[in-house]
Amino acid sequence: MATAAQWVAGARPRTLPAAVAPVLVGTGAAAALDGFRLVPALLALVVALALQVAVNYANDYSDGRRGTDADRVGPMRLVGSGVAAPRQVLVAAGLAFAVAALAGLALAALSSWWLVAVGAACILAAWTYTGGPIPYGYRALGEVFVFVFFGLVAVVGTTFVQTLTLPGLAFAVSIPPGLLIVAILVVNNLRDIDGDRLVGKRTLAVLLGDGRTRVLFAGLFVVAFAVIALVGVQRPWALLGLLAAPLAVPPARTVLSGGRGPALIGALQGAGLVTLVTGILLGAGLALSG
C-alpha cells in the first residue's frame, strides 16, 4: 500500500504552478477592470488545483495501465511502480474531479450556469489526455489542449466569474501563462522522449525530435515575455511580469545545451518556478494598473 508521502508525490505537487499562475493572472485582469471578487477568485483556484491533481492521478492511472510508465526518469508513478493498485489511483482521480466539479458548480451559481458546460469540457479534456480509447496526449496534441485549457480557459474564466464579462485584456494576458505551462509539458516530454518513442506514445517531442523540441522550449519563453511586453504598452504595470524573465535563463540553458535525464528534471522545476513567479508578478502588475 502506498504511503501518504507517495500519494503526495503521485499528485506531482511541482506541477501545481500550472494551476495557480492562470488564476492569479485572471484575477489581476479582473482587478484591472475594477471587478475583483474574493470568493469567486478562491473558488476558481480550488477548481484549478483540483483539476491539476485529478489530471495527474488520471495520467498515472492511464499510463500505468498502458505500460508507458514502466521506465521513467522523472517522479515516481504510483501504478507504474506498483506501489498502488490502478483502482486506488482511479478513485483518487475521481475524488479530485469531484472537488473540482463541486467548486465549479458553486462558481456557476455565482456567475452563469453555462460554466457547467465549460467545466464538463475541462474534466473531459483532463481525462482524455491519456485516458479513453483515443488519448490526444498520444497524438501530439497535448500542447494544444494545455494552452487552451490552462491558458485561455483558465485565465478568461477566472476573469469572467469575477467581472461577468469577457474582456479583450483577459484573452491577451492568457497567452503568457498558457505558453509557459506548455513549456512545462514540452520539457517533461523531452525528458521522456526515448521511452515514449519505444512504447509508441507520439508526443509532440517525439514528432519534432530532440533538437527541435529543445528550440521550441526556449522559444516559448521568448514569446511569452514578448507578449507581456506588448501588454505593457497599454498597461505599464504589467511589465512587472518581465522581472521573472531571468529565471527562464537556467532551464533554457540546460535544455539548449543538451541536458538529459536528471538535468531535465531540474529544467522542469525551473519552468514551473518561472510560471509561478510570472503569474504572481503579472497578476500583481495588472491589479496595480486598474
Side-chain angles (χ1 to χ4, degrees), residues 47 96-106 123:
V47 171
F97 278 130
V99 171
L102 288 173
L105 285 173
I123 291 174

Side-chain angles (χ1 to χ4, degrees), residues 125 128-129 134-149 182 185 189 202-205 207:
T128 55
Y129 174 57
I134 310 177
Y136 62 84
Y138 283 56
R139 288 163 174 78
L141 292 173
E143 286 78 4
V144 174
F145 278 78
V146 163
F147 179 79
V148 170
F149 285 97
V182 168
L185 179 59
N189 289 341
R202 294 181 69 251
T203 63
L204 183 61
L207 193 65

Side-chain angles (χ1 to χ4, degrees), residues 14-15 17 20 28-29 40 51 78 91 98 113 134-135 164 182 184 197 208 254-255 257 259 261 274:
R14 287 172 177 165
T15 66
V20 175
L51 279 176
L78 294 165
V91 169
W113 287 108
I134 310 177
L164 301 183
V182 168
I184 293 174
R197 186 183 290 114
L208 292 177
T254 296
V255 171
S257 64
V274 173

Side-chain angles (χ1 to χ4, degrees), residues 23-24 26-42 158-159 161-164 283 287:
V23 175
L24 294 177
T27 297
L33 301 168
D34 297 322
F36 170 69
R37 295 167 64 202
L38 179 61
V39 172
L42 291 176
T158 298
T159 303
V161 297
Q162 297 176 66
T163 66
L164 301 183

Side-chain angles (χ1 to χ4, degrees), residues 4-288:
Q6 288 172 327
W7 279 107
V8 171
R12 304 178 201 174
R14 287 172 177 165
T15 66
L16 295 184
V20 175
V23 175
L24 294 177
V25 173
T27 297
L33 301 168
D34 297 322
F36 170 69
R37 295 167 64 202
L38 179 61
V39 172
L42 291 176
L43 284 172
L45 182 60
V46 171
V47 171
L49 288 170
L51 279 176
Q52 182 64 59
V53 171
V55 75
N56 288 340
Y57 281 138
N59 291 349
D60 192 307
Y61 167 79
S62 298
D63 281 343
R65 290 292 299 271
R66 294 175 190 274
T68 56
D69 272 347
D71 184 19
R72 291 284 181 177
V73 177
M76 179 201 69
R77 305 301 202 268
L78 294 165
V79 176
S81 65
V83 302
R87 180 175 178 80
Q88 292 176 314
V89 179
L90 180 61
V91 169
L95 290 173
F97 278 130
V99 171
L102 288 173
L105 285 173
L107 272 176
L110 291 172
S111 53
S112 171
W113 287 108
W114 67 262
L115 284 180
V116 173
V118 175
C122 290
I123 291 174
L124 180 63
W127 174 254
T128 55
Y129 174 57
T130 57
I134 310 177
Y136 62 84
Y138 283 56
R139 288 163 174 78
L141 292 173
E143 286 78 4
V144 174
F145 278 78
V146 163
F147 179 79
V148 170
F149 285 97
F150 282 89
L152 184 64
V153 173
V155 174
V156 176
T158 298
T159 303
F160 174 81
V161 297
Q162 297 176 66
T163 66
L164 301 183
T165 63
L166 295 170
L169 176 64
F171 284 90
V173 297
S174 72
I175 296 173
L179 293 177
L180 293 176
I181 295 166
V182 168
I184 293 174
L185 179 59
V186 167
V187 72
N188 181 77
N189 289 341
L190 175 64
R191 182 197 64 201
D192 296 333
I193 190 170
D194 293 331
D196 287 341
R197 186 183 290 114
L198 284 174
V199 299
K201 184 176 180 180
R202 294 181 69 251
T203 63
L204 183 61
V206 170
L207 193 65
L208 292 177
D210 185 275
R212 291 190 183 93
T213 300
R214 293 176 187 274
V215 173
L216 172 63
F217 176 74
L220 289 167
F221 287 145
V222 172
V223 177
F225 288 112
V227 172
I228 292 175
L230 290 174
V231 172
V233 173
Q234 292 294 324
R235 293 184 178 268
W237 279 107
L239 296 175
L240 280 176
L242 295 180
L243 295 178
L247 296 175
V249 174
R253 182 186 296 125
T254 296
V255 171
L256 290 175
S257 64
R260 297 183 179 277
L264 291 180
I265 296 176
L268 176 63
Q269 295 169 357
L273 179 62
V274 173
T275 302
L276 179 59
V277 175
T278 301
I280 293 171
L281 294 174
L282 178 57
L286 290 169
L288 289 171

